[in-house]
Amino acid sequence: MKLEMGKQTVTVPEEAETEEVMVTAAEPRAPSYSSSCKVDGEAAAAAAAEVAMAREGGEELVVPPLNFAMVDHGVFRSGFPDTANFSFLETLELRSILCLCPEPYPEANTEFLRSHGIMLFQFGIDGRKEPFVNIPEDTIREALKVVLDIRNHPLLIHCKRGKHRTGCVVGCLRKLQRWCLSSIFDEYQRFAAAKTRVSDQRFMELFDISSLKHLSPSFSCSKSS
Amino acid sequence: MKLEMGKQTVTVPEEAETEEVMVTAAEPRAPSYSSSCKVDGEAAAAAAAEVAMAREGGEELVVPPLNFAMVDHGVFRSGFPDTANFSFLETLELRSILCLCPEPYPEANTEFLRSHGIMLFQFGIDGRKEPFVNIPEDTIREALKVVLDIRNHPLLIHCKRGKHRTGCVVGCLRKLQRWCLSSIFDEYQRFAAAKTRVSDQRFMELFDISSLKHLSPSFSCSKSS
């Protein structure tokens, strides 16, 4: 099932309505190797095979996606997850994924989401290099609304490398959390490193959060309870 | 009250026993500017004055400590917090702080902890530069036990810059979470950046987690519930 909502594409697993997905996602899942073997589909089998190689001392290891980090309670960030990361993603018990790339979502990832009842929110933003970059403010704003909605948590935000598009969304989120700009830039640069873009930082500085403030009270970040 | 436990120094606020501290720490605190003004002591007043300057559009901003990040549920990391960061730290509703520096804890920070019922665990590790560094495995192990004990959460791990000593503790924690080494080093390098030390990474690689595995089941990391 695909729902077109303006620039936003919401893909709900075909066998389940949204309500049912929520219930499925809320159930605890064993993050063990044996449970990942039960996942249907070739892609999942390939992922399990890759994970099987990543062992140490007879114990399986997990492989977080590139640039993975916890942003705050119920919110994670990373680069594009591939099949090697599926076993790790299972441990997060995700309810939704927010993808900021415009390209069609890969078949293996779609299958992983389907089999785990994870919703996909896709807000395609062009990832081209400076000076051709023009970050669409409206798209970031719509993406933020998804992030702020705790019904979508736990949620993973990702783009290609987890640096620029993801960094901008997280930076705007930090503005809503009243972080000072120097701390927002410090965090952005930690992920962007040598690829830091002045245009991204200017975008975050000028981004107007006033239209989103009414959503903050339902937001769990910076609260441990 | 100071309890000497081997190499570990636990400082419990003087007016409260541990049991009482836990209750205090579990109570919700309003992270507003007005509440930070009620804190006793010159240091807290200085902090409030600094925060008062960090305003934008009539709203106060918060200043996370250098290299601040959420490690996992109930666990944060950063560089040494100073008075400018106290208003932000209040929003985390910390139950304890794990300091990895050997120097006496600053008076202003001690006062902040006392007034907020936050316990201090201090595991002093010398922060000198390579090749004089010798990371004490036993100290890291004892520090990890504190991190793994969810009764101490929410907990902030910090050293001076949040790069090396903190990076080693978090890296060993990731081993317990079965992260593959390349992902552990990737995270370590994100914080250490140009100051990345091969000796730290070798330490994390060789660190034996077998004696800590029995503590893992009570550990909340990599679980959203």
Side-chain angles (χ1 to χ4, degrees), chain A residues 158-215:
Chain A
H158 80 78
C159 52
K160 183 92 177 147
R161 307 219 174 274
K163 292 177 191 283
H164 305 113
R165 289 166 282 191
T166 298
C168 284
V169 168
V170 171
C172 293
L173 181 64
R174 297 309 190 189
K175 279 190 90 164
L176 271 166
Q177 294 184 293
R178 300 187 290 109
W179 281 33
C180 63
L181 267 186
S182 55
S183 295
I184 294 173
F185 292 171
D186 181 53
E187 182 179 48
Y188 168 86
Q189 289 163 12
R190 206 178 297 143
F191 291 88
K195 305 286 186 183
T196 289
R197 291 177 183 169
V198 175
S199 59
D200 283 349
Q201 294 178 86
R202 189 175 55 230
F203 173 83
M204 291 184 271
E205 179 172 5
L206 300 177
F207 186 79
D208 180 15
I209 56 168
S210 59
S211 70
L212 295 167
K213 279 183 180 168
H214 67 286
L215 297 171

Side-chain angles (χ1 to χ4, degrees), chain B residues 19-38:
Chain B
E19 199 59 36
E20 198 175 329
V21 173
M22 295 297 182
V23 175
T24 311
E27 281 172 11
R29 290 185 207 98
S32 67
Y33 177 62
S34 59
S35 82
S36 73
C37 285
K38 288 175 199 156

Side-chain angles (χ1 to χ4, degrees), chain A residues 81-206:
Chain A
D82 67 21
T83 52
N85 310 126
F86 290 170
S87 172
F88 172 78
L89 291 187
E90 282 182 338
T91 68
L92 303 179
E93 299 179 1
L94 295 173
R95 191 170 284 176
S96 52
I97 282 183
L98 174 61
C99 173
L100 300 167
C101 300
E103 297 81 14
Y105 215 55
E107 186 55 44
N109 295 52
T110 304
E111 172 61 23
F112 174 79
L113 266 57
R114 192 201 59 74
S115 63
H116 289 75
I118 299 168
M119 284 189 295
L120 174 67
F121 295 92
Q122 191 164 13
F123 295 89
I125 297 174
D126 199 335
R128 281 178 299 179
K129 290 182 183 166
E130 283 184 302
F132 311 104
V133 176
N134 184 20
I135 303 158
E137 191 167 327
D138 288 349
T139 311
I140 297 282
R141 199 177 302 281
E142 291 307 309
L144 272 172
K145 287 180 187 169
V146 171
V147 176
L148 290 167
D149 190 340
I150 58 168
R151 289 173 300 180
N152 298 324
H153 295 189
L155 169 144
L156 172 68
I157 307 167
H158 80 78
C159 52
K160 183 92 177 147
R161 307 219 174 274
K163 292 177 191 283
H164 305 113
R165 289 166 282 191
T166 298
C168 284
V169 168
V170 171
C172 293
L173 181 64
R174 297 309 190 189
K175 279 190 90 164
L176 271 166
Q177 294 184 293
R178 300 187 290 109
W179 281 33
C180 63
L181 267 186
S182 55
S183 295
I184 294 173
F185 292 171
D186 181 53
E187 182 179 48
Y188 168 86
Q189 289 163 12
R190 206 178 297 143
F191 291 88
K195 305 286 186 183
T196 289
R197 291 177 183 169
V198 175
S199 59
D200 283 349
Q201 294 178 86
R202 189 175 55 230
F203 173 83
M204 291 184 271
E205 179 172 5
L206 300 177

Side-chain angles (χ1 to χ4, degrees), chain B residues 33 36-37 41-55 83-84 86-87:
Chain B
Y33 177 62
S36 73
C37 285
E42 275 181 55
E50 279 195 61
V51 170
M53 290 185 290
R55 284 164 171 270
T83 52
F86 290 170
S87 174

Side-chain angles (χ1 to χ4, degrees), chain B residues 92-132:
Chain B
L92 304 179
E93 298 179 1
L94 296 173
R95 191 168 285 176
S96 53
I97 281 183
L98 174 61
C99 173
L100 299 167
C101 299
E103 296 81 13
Y105 216 54
E107 187 54 44
N109 295 52
T110 304
E111 171 61 23
F112 174 78
L113 266 56
R114 192 201 60 75
S115 62
H116 289 74
I118 299 168
M119 283 188 294
L120 174 67
F121 296 92
Q122 190 164 12
F123 295 89
I125 298 173
D126 198 336
R128 282 178 299 178
K129 291 181 182 166
E130 285 184 301
F132 310 103

Side-chain angles (χ1 to χ4, degrees), chain A residues 31 59-62 64 67-68 70 72-73 88 91-93 154 178-180 183 190-191 213 222-224, chain B residues 31 59-62 64 67-68 70 72-73 88 91 154 178-180 183 186 190-191 213 222-224:
Chain A
E59 274 199 308
E60 72 272 24
L61 298 178
V62 289
N67 259 337
F68 172 82
M70 190 164 191
D72 218 311
H73 296 92
F88 172 78
T91 68
L92 303 179
E93 299 179 1
R178 300 187 290 109
W179 281 33
C180 63
S183 295
R190 206 178 297 143
F191 291 88
K213 279 183 180 168
S222 271
K223 298 281 174 196
S224 58
Chain B
E59 273 200 309
E60 73 272 24
L61 297 178
V62 290
N67 259 338
F68 172 82
M70 189 164 190
D72 217 311
H73 295 93
F88 172 78
T91 68
R178 300 187 291 108
W179 281 33
C180 63
S183 295
D186 181 53
R190 206 178 296 141
F191 292 88
K213 279 184 179 166
S222 271
K223 297 282 174 197
S224 58

